[in-house]
Amino acid sequence: MTVTQTRSAVTGGPGTEQQRRRRRPPNVPYLLLVPALVFYAFVVLVPTLSGAGYAFTDWAGRRETPGFVGLDNFTELFAAPAARSALRNTLIIAVSTTVVQTLIGLALALALHSTLASRNVLRTMFFAPALLPPVIIGFLWQYILTPAGPLNDALSSIGLGGLTQNWLGDSSVALASVIGVIIWQNAGLTMVIYLAGLQGVPPELHEAASIDGAGRWQRLRNVTLPLLAPATTIALSLTLIGSLKLFDQVYVMTNGGPGYATETLSVVMYKEAFVSGRYGYSTAIALVLTMIVFAFALLQLRGLRRYEVQQ
């Protein structure tokens, strides 16, 4: 052993570290991932793949060997009036909540990203509904929107009795009422995402734009909004995916009614599985819903990423 190697071994210098790295098996980091991958496969991949297989059977939960029915479940799904209505409602809810909630969240963030003394209190007030469980929100608004509830009482007390409605019992306004509740609950979450994005906008850019003569609207359009492109991507993606999977509020407030007016694919899937016992048909609905969510998310992310690069 040379003098240098002896000194490194005693002092723990770089020579010793290099020798330890040479002795360390190169695949140790990958082996550490094995437990997590096994757990993920057992909890996510296996149920997902087995569910996709059951979508092509008439499994009713009572027989051990479900029969193969091919595409019959999917044919029934797109032919049944209830399922078509649920698909239409799901898309209406997804598009409307994504657009309106994003605009309201952006407006709130721009208004509260200021030196206003009460801005923290207002931020907390708007964000608080997003912290409550959707089931609690559903029961709360089910009470508020009843014909004899606080909302109609408030409208009557200020002379707007003509606007009172059976908000959840009238098919012409029930879906709009559900959409309004969803936007009310989640607009604060979108606001927080945009507030985080606004923290990354350098004030020097606004000062330079002001020196060049840009007004408030021009600074918003040419400076602020382009720099908020990543926040917009996150807000739109979370809102769209969450609204496509919507179940809790609808099931609690209306149970999909009146008629099929507010039914979503998630509600139909639950009823077919746990009320009618048609597990094969319900897994076909779940498979279609998964493909819709995946397609929308992929298209949206690709479009928004291209927008971010252009900005």
Side-chain angles (χ1 to χ4, degrees):
M1 178 179 296
T2 64
V3 175
T4 304
Q5 290 173 331
T6 305
R7 184 180 303 166
S8 299
V10 173
T11 60
T16 304
E17 182 62 25
Q18 291 176 359
Q19 292 173 0
R20 289 175 180 169
R21 289 179 180 176
R22 292 192 193 99
R23 290 195 298 268
R24 182 183 302 166
N27 54 353
V28 166
Y30 300 101
L31 293 176
L32 296 176
L33 294 175
V34 171
L37 292 176
V38 170
F39 181 78
Y40 178 80
F42 182 74
V43 174
V44 178
L45 293 182
V46 173
T48 300
L49 295 176
S50 62
Y54 283 121
F56 298 91
T57 68
D58 60 352
W59 180 41
R62 296 185 297 273
R63 291 180 298 177
E64 294 182 358
T65 56
F68 180 75
V69 295
L71 298 176
D72 287 357
N73 288 332
F74 299 95
T75 304
E76 180 182 348
L77 171 62
F78 291 106
R84 288 207 304 269
S85 175
L87 178 60
R88 184 182 67 250
N89 291 338
T90 301
L91 296 178
I92 291 174
I93 292 173
V95 173
S96 57
T97 55
T98 300
V99 174
V100 178
Q101 183 177 311
T102 303
L103 292 176
I104 293 176
L106 175 61
L108 290 174
L110 293 172
L112 298 179
H113 184 67
S114 63
T115 57
L116 189 68
S118 59
R119 64 183 184 281
N120 289 332
V121 176
L122 294 175
R123 290 174 182 177
T124 303
M125 288 176 56
F126 287 118
F127 181 60
L131 300 176
L132 297 175
V135 175
I136 301 299
I137 294 294
F139 280 118
L140 174 65
W141 278 96
Q142 185 190 44
Y143 167 70
I144 294 174
L145 296 176
T146 53
L151 179 58
N152 282 343
D153 289 344
L155 290 174
S156 300
S157 64
I158 59 176
L160 298 176
L163 298 179
T164 57
Q165 299 280 344
N166 185 2
W167 299 99
L168 299 178
D170 186 345
S171 59
S172 63
V173 296
L175 185 61
S177 301
V178 172
I179 292 173
V181 172
I182 297 166
I183 293 173
W184 172 83
Q185 181 183 9
N186 298 308
L189 177 62
T190 307
M191 176 198 69
V192 170
I193 294 173
Y194 276 115
L195 281 173
L198 287 171
Q199 300 296 325
V201 178
E204 296 82 6
L205 294 179
H206 282 281
E207 295 173 1
S210 299
I211 294 173
D212 291 338
R216 179 174 297 180
W217 167 247
Q218 290 174 317
R219 293 198 302 273
L220 173 64
R221 187 184 62 182
N222 299 321
V223 178
T224 304
L225 292 182
L227 293 176
L228 287 178
T232 301
T233 300
I234 297 172
L236 289 177
S237 300
L238 292 178
T239 305
L240 180 63
I241 294 173
S243 56
L244 286 173
K245 300 185 303 179
L246 184 68
F247 172 77
D248 312 67
Q249 295 96 329
V250 174
Y251 188 75
V252 171
M253 286 194 293
T254 66
N255 195 20
Y260 303 133
T262 60
E263 262 191 348
T264 62
L265 282 179
S266 297
V267 173
V268 175
M269 179 177 62
Y270 173 83
K271 290 180 177 178
E272 292 293 341
F274 300 104
V275 178
S276 303
R278 302 181 65 197
Y279 296 102
Y281 182 57
S282 67
T283 52
I285 298 174
L287 185 60
V288 171
L289 181 59
T290 302
M291 294 175 66
I292 292 174
V293 172
F294 180 77
F296 271 85
L298 183 63
L299 292 174
Q300 187 185 43
L301 284 176
R302 292 188 64 177
L304 292 173
R305 290 298 183 191
R306 190 178 298 115
Y307 171 72
E308 288 183 28
V309 172
Q310 291 174 354
Q311 299 305 314

